[in-house]
Amino acid sequence: MVPLKKLHEAFLRLVLRPAGGATRPKASEVLSQHLLQRGLPHWTSFCVKYSAVRNDQFGLSNFNWEVKGTNYHILRTGCFPFIKYHCSRAPRQDLAMQNRFFTTLKIINLGIPTLLYGIGSWFLVSVTETVHTPYGPVTVYFLNKEDENAMY
């Protein structure tokens, strides 16, 4: 997985040429801050541009993420030019098998469906929000407006 991560990072540096390098927040920081700003919602689904963050969650497709004692099941995929997150509040459980399955599926299909999803998302984004991080504001993107109190 390490060689694949290095190849992925080199590709993103070449294509995006992100300004700021180490001054960009980690994707995980944006994830946590978004959940906190939303008041730890039951669920949320959003995208963040690769160029706006450092991708510290490479290789994670389905995993637990805890924020202030609240656990979320995260479905995450790179869908260029975005990283897509779907977050559902749920008790911690072992998601290793699902993570391996989704990661393997993305490798087998060469990421083509996720690339198409990213390009489609680029055209369908209808709502944005600003997530405040110690490194500055980061824009997150939504395909539709979320009801912030919705259970599903």
Side-chain angles (χ1 to χ4, degrees), residues 57 59-63 74-77 98-99 102-103 106:
Q57 295 172 319
L60 294 176
S61 297
N62 193 203
F63 56 97
I74 307 295
L75 283 169
R76 178 200 170 279
T77 194
Q98 291 93 323
N99 184 59
F102 287 123
T103 300
K106 289 188 272 187

Side-chain angles (χ1 to χ4, degrees), residues 41-87:
H42 292 282
W43 74 274
T44 185
S45 181
F46 67 96
C47 298
V48 62
K49 286 184 180 178
Y50 270 110
S51 60
V53 297
R54 289 180 286 145
N55 185 14
D56 65 324
Q57 295 172 319
F58 180 83
L60 294 176
S61 297
N62 193 203
F63 56 97
N64 291 289
W65 192 255
E66 190 169 311
V67 179
K68 298 271 185 182
T70 301
N71 192 68
Y72 286 87
H73 289 183
I74 307 295
L75 283 169
R76 178 200 170 279
T77 194
C79 52
F80 189 83
F82 299 109
I83 299 171
K84 171 72 175 187
Y85 288 95
H86 185 280
C87 316

